[in-house]
Amino acid sequence: MDYLIEVRNIVKRFGGLVAVNDVSMGVGRGEVVAVLGDNGAGKSTLIKVISGVYAPEEGTILFEGKPVRIASPMDALSLGIETIYQDLALAENLNVYSNIFLGREKTRKAAGIFPVLDHEYMHREAAKVLDGLVIKIPSLRSKIKSLSGGQRQAVAISRSIYWNAKILIMDEPTAALGVAQQSQVLELVNTLKARGIGIILISHTMFDVFKVADRIVVMRRGRKVAEKIRTETTPDEIVSYIVGAEAV
Amino acid sequence: MSTENTQTAAQVERRGWVQILARNWALAFLILLFVVFSFTGKGFLGLTNFENILYLSTTFVFLAASETFVIITGGIDLSVGFVMGLSSVLCAQVMQSVYAAHASAAATMVVGALVGLVVGIAPGYVSGILISRYNVPPFIATLGMSGITNGIALTICQGFPVAGLPGDLVRLGNGYLFYSFPGKGSRFFGWPPGVTDSQVRELTRILPNGLLLWLVVIAILLYVLKTTRFGQHTFAIGGSIEAAKRAGIDVRRHLVTIYVLSSFFAGMAGVYNVFQTGVGNFTPFNASYELFAIAAVVIGGASLMGGKGSLVGSVIGVLLLAVLNNGLSISGVAAFYRFIAVGIILVIAVVIDQLFPDLL
Amino acid sequence: MSDRQAARPRTGRLVSFVGRRWALLFLVAEAIAFCFIARGFFTLDTFQLVFIAGVPLFLLGLAETFVIISGGIDLSVGFVFGFASVVSAKLIVALQGAGASPGLAILIGCAATLLIGMIPGYFNGVLVARLRVPPFIATYSMLSVTYGISELLVEGSQAGNLPYLSSVIGTGFIAYFIPGHGFSFFTHERVARGTPVYSIIPLVVVAAFVFVAIFVFLLRMTKFGHHTYAIGGNPDAAVRSGIDVKAHLERVYVISALLATLAGILYMLQFSQGKSDAGASYLLDSIVAVVIGGASLYGGVGTAGGTIIGALLLSVLETGLRVLGVATFNIYIIVGIILIIAVLIDQFFPEITSSESGASP
């Protein structure tokens, strides 16, 4: 299978602890891969290796088939690997489109000399992105502070896809959301999938995983203990991998 | 404290002296200042001068001690300087009126001191309520109170020191616990009978009342902070308000108490100031007492983020600033350099804190 | 949370409207009240006096606005103000002593002071951004250091002996109108005692507003201003968005010191002296102006326009009470109460700042 991004034999140690031990996995175009595991199983370390936060001790990363070096989050971003952390990294005091353009604001020349923010442009562009998403935001001039959890998630996701994410890593996107909003976010994941974005989803919620994932990777004590096609497995089987019953 | 336990013996030994020095840098610096000034300043090393240093630092010990509690909770009290002025002025004003009504000196002093102490509570209570009930940031609430107390103090005294107070005031404020004169016996809080002014030099005087007061205050506050639940909760709130709430601590009430405490000791500093100088002094606008107190607390190892601080450290901070002040002026350095020195030391304090985050 | 916007009741809108603009409404009400109760308040001179008295507050308030929006605080502005007044006065006298004409000495002296005045700001910025010293401590240290240096420069006294031209500029107006003589610009001819001279638009106010305009533009319209809000709102998000937060904060503190320096220079021109503690009492007032203007000390919220309104509110109050003959002491009490009210209003109407047109872009 042609992976958009693939990691091979990744090892990451912290002192004496092997957080990620010889793990290989990949995500294809328009595919959702869920990474499951108990707390401390090594899933977030693996994700941080892919998003450039940690450098692995061993192993290779292939992007569109070619080996790449991801030494910093900026490297990951320039490849089109966007990560949405649980805290979403939004500036609550700014409005929706300002957050989508944060750090990459569009300016125009006022009176031909002074660079000023082009609010109209940013508003228009942000509207284009958000229009394609399931979750509706009443006004793009609303402050993040006044948005619901699901709407915030949508803003964070819009930011990623506006800047041409090819791979989207989502860390517990439905945690801390109400039931209705959870399903909206999952629908959002399906929308992105349809656009050909490869998604790595970290979740604790079996329901979410079985609703959107194509493949499921289970990690336990730093190792990959199972990789299953969603249609060929059951939640019970996955749980037994997570707790280690079937691996013995 | 807990970091120490988790370190291996080898690590502790390897970093031992750096750590001890960095942790106690304020004390080390204080000792260094002592040594340097002993050489550079004629008359620095002498009982009279030490008394001078204590004299100058007494009110600041009160301000810094109470500020320590506030800062440990993660707050700040900018009103202490002007609360001190208000208490001082009001205490003197009451004494003046009572004394003018032919009350005895003793009664005058007691009434005036009580009024000064009681009025000191009010600004802290208001700030405490604003901060804990209405979520007003401590910075703003106490800044507002500083303006209000300053205005009231100035209105009371019309911008002049309040004089016309009993003379016994200064005799007590600048007196000693115990006097002894060869052949004429000894006495607490006063000269033995029969000692004349010309014999003062031969009088043995032990323990200035100011020092006594500040030792008592620090001892009580140390007890409260170190050994009581109240002290424990103070640290807990500074560490995490949420955690403290969930643990069932009445955070609102605790914060009100903290600001009342802070303001009360600022009031005490004001009252003591009257005993020390014999007049009621309003706080000049550019005196920056509160900033001086905060500086001492930070030099003493407290963090403005809350959860960290020590009373002994704050006292060392006050002494460091006072010795610096006194030593520089005795060494003949222009007074203005002390401002620069204070600024630099303050930065060093925090930078050391940043470089060795796992200390204290 | 999601339906907070939709479900805001209609009565709430009025409260919210008033709550959001209370400072402006208070300012207007206050000005009108003084016009009625204070004899001599409603005159061109008093009106201009409000602005002249407000100059340090506009500039220091604006300085503080940048810093507070970025999530910090600058306690040094008052003494950078004094430092600048001393340095500029000393420089001008020295330049004149070296043979420069008064005009040239003033020009070079002021320009050089603007540069020198940025140094304390740079140190503040480095301490806060690179060495992670809390802003409160870093800027307090700088307060101490600048005060010490300016006291050293004046040796405990004041810097004076400035050329006559400086006070001509500092107390001058753009135009004068003398009935019967007509208009004249910058100076007016000598007239007999008792002849009314209408002075129009003070020069210091013009100078202050040129800078105010530049920095309001910077804060409102540019990427720089936008990033200042972002850093105050969520520094982590700003870092992850690729904003160079450390460099940005350094510039914020330099801007703060620059504006304080300008205020100090204008003071020097106005009063023909340099005084190291000239700006001491403005520290509190400038922070109060910013908070009245709707900024939050937690960072990320506030506007330059709000600060100007806050500064005007204080300036009208002070001028009005002076005209009324109320003792200065009471002003401190009133300012303290207004400060607390300002924050309480913020606390009781949290939706004011979270809605679309709240106090940030």
Side-chain angles (χ1 to χ4, degrees), chain A residues 209-246:
Chain A
V209 170
F210 273 81
K211 197 159 178 213
V212 294
D214 297 303
R215 254 178 323 123
I216 297 168
V217 170
V218 183
M219 287 186 70
R220 193 173 134 72
R221 293 181 183 164
R223 288 182 174 279
K224 183 169 89 174
V225 292
E227 179 162 352
K228 298 278 173 187
I229 306 290
R230 188 243 298 165
T231 48
E232 296 167 4
T233 184
T234 62
D236 287 342
E237 191 190 14
I238 296 296
V239 169
S240 64
Y241 280 120
I242 292 175
V243 298
E246 214 154 300

Side-chain angles (χ1 to χ4, degrees), chain A residues 95-111:
Chain A
N95 64 29
V96 173
Y97 66 77
S98 294
N99 267 284
I100 291 176
F101 280 83
L102 191 58
R104 300 178 267 203
E105 291 84 355
K106 172 86 168 92
T107 56
R108 62 183 168 83
K109 293 271 194 276

Side-chain angles (χ1 to χ4, degrees), chain A residues 44-108:
Chain A
S44 51
T45 309
L46 177 67
I47 290 318
K48 283 180 177 163
V49 167
I50 299 176
S51 61
V53 176
Y54 296 143
E57 265 90 34
E58 291 169 32
T60 48
I61 302 176
L62 301 171
F63 188 78
E64 293 177 330
K66 293 182 219 55
V68 287
R69 209 173 139 266
I70 302 178
S72 74
M74 284 300 144
D75 289 352
L77 287 176
S78 64
L79 287 172
I81 304 170
E82 298 266 351
T83 311
I84 298 175
Y85 292 98
Q86 259 179 293
D87 66 0
L88 299 179
L90 297 172
E92 297 210 341
N93 57 328
L94 299 183
N95 64 29
V96 173
Y97 66 77
S98 294
N99 267 284
I100 291 176
F101 280 83
L102 191 58
R104 300 178 267 203
E105 291 84 355
K106 172 86 168 92
T107 56
R108 62 183 168 83

Side-chain angles (χ1 to χ4, degrees), chain B residues 179-220:
Chain B
Y179 295 88
S180 173
F181 193 85
K184 287 188 178 163
S186 49
R187 211 178 139 186
F188 286 97
F189 294 115
W191 296 357
V195 179
T196 57
D197 282 354
S198 57
Q199 292 170 313
V200 169
R201 285 181 176 279
E202 292 153 72
L203 197 64
T204 312
R205 300 172 295 189
I206 296 168
L207 199 58
N209 290 336
L211 179 61
L212 179 69
L213 183 64
W214 86 246
L215 285 177
V216 169
V217 166
I218 289 298
I220 293 172

Side-chain angles (χ1 to χ4, degrees), chain A residues 85 87 89-90 93 98 105 117, chain C residues 221 226-227 229 234 237 240 300:
Chain A
Y85 292 98
D87 66 0
L90 297 172
N93 57 328
S98 294
E105 291 84 355
L117 291 173
Chain C
M221 309 289 283
H226 206 67
H227 287 178
Y229 284 98
N234 187 344
R240 285 191 228 164

